[in-house]
Amino acid sequence: MTDQAAQSPNQPETAVGSAIPPAEIDRITDDIISALKTVYDPEIPADIYELGLIYRIDIDDDRLVTIDMTLTAPGCPVAGEMPGWVENAVGVVPGVYGVKVNMVFDPPWTPDRMSEEAQIATDWY
């Protein structure tokens, strides 16, 4: 985990050194995060971004977005569906030309990754 991820556990890492202008990267990243906040785990009253399930967002120079995400538990009943929900949500962001979602389980998700908002929504504080 990088210093960035350790300082703000629900803030995913993003790629650096792109040929896309920094202001455009910032706009696309903000729009991707807004899109991710529309995807909810059906068993938890918080979105996947605030839950800290998004580990990495990479926007390459061709504007293809790769997202590394996890689940609260490997046996999550929507494990097979959630990557498609993420792909669909992010795929409509202006300036994004494709989305690939990688399901990762290392490091394992813990409640420490949840934002304060998610902790309040789930009574986990």
Side-chain angles (χ1 to χ4, degrees), residues 8-65:
S8 181
N10 69 321
Q11 181 69 29
E13 297 178 52
T14 53
V16 294
S18 175
I20 302 170
E24 181 71 358
I25 288 287
D26 290 345
R27 186 209 48 88
I28 293 172
T29 301
D30 289 346
D31 290 350
I32 289 170
I33 290 169
S34 293
L36 291 168
K37 289 184 174 193
T38 68
V39 180
Y40 283 76
D41 183 315
E43 297 179 331
I44 302 173
D47 66 75
I48 63 170
Y49 183 80
E50 296 299 333
L51 285 171
L53 299 181
I54 304 301
Y55 284 180
R56 185 169 172 269
I57 299 170
D58 180 31
I59 305 166
D60 75 14
D61 289 345
D62 292 327
R63 297 175 182 255
L64 300 174
V65 176

Side-chain angles (χ1 to χ4, degrees), residues 32 36 54 56 65-69 86 90 99-102:
I32 289 170
L36 291 168
I54 304 301
R56 185 169 172 269
V65 176
T66 301
I67 297 174
D68 290 349
M69 69 171 292
V86 170
V90 173
V99 182
K100 178 182 177 190
V101 178
N102 297 318

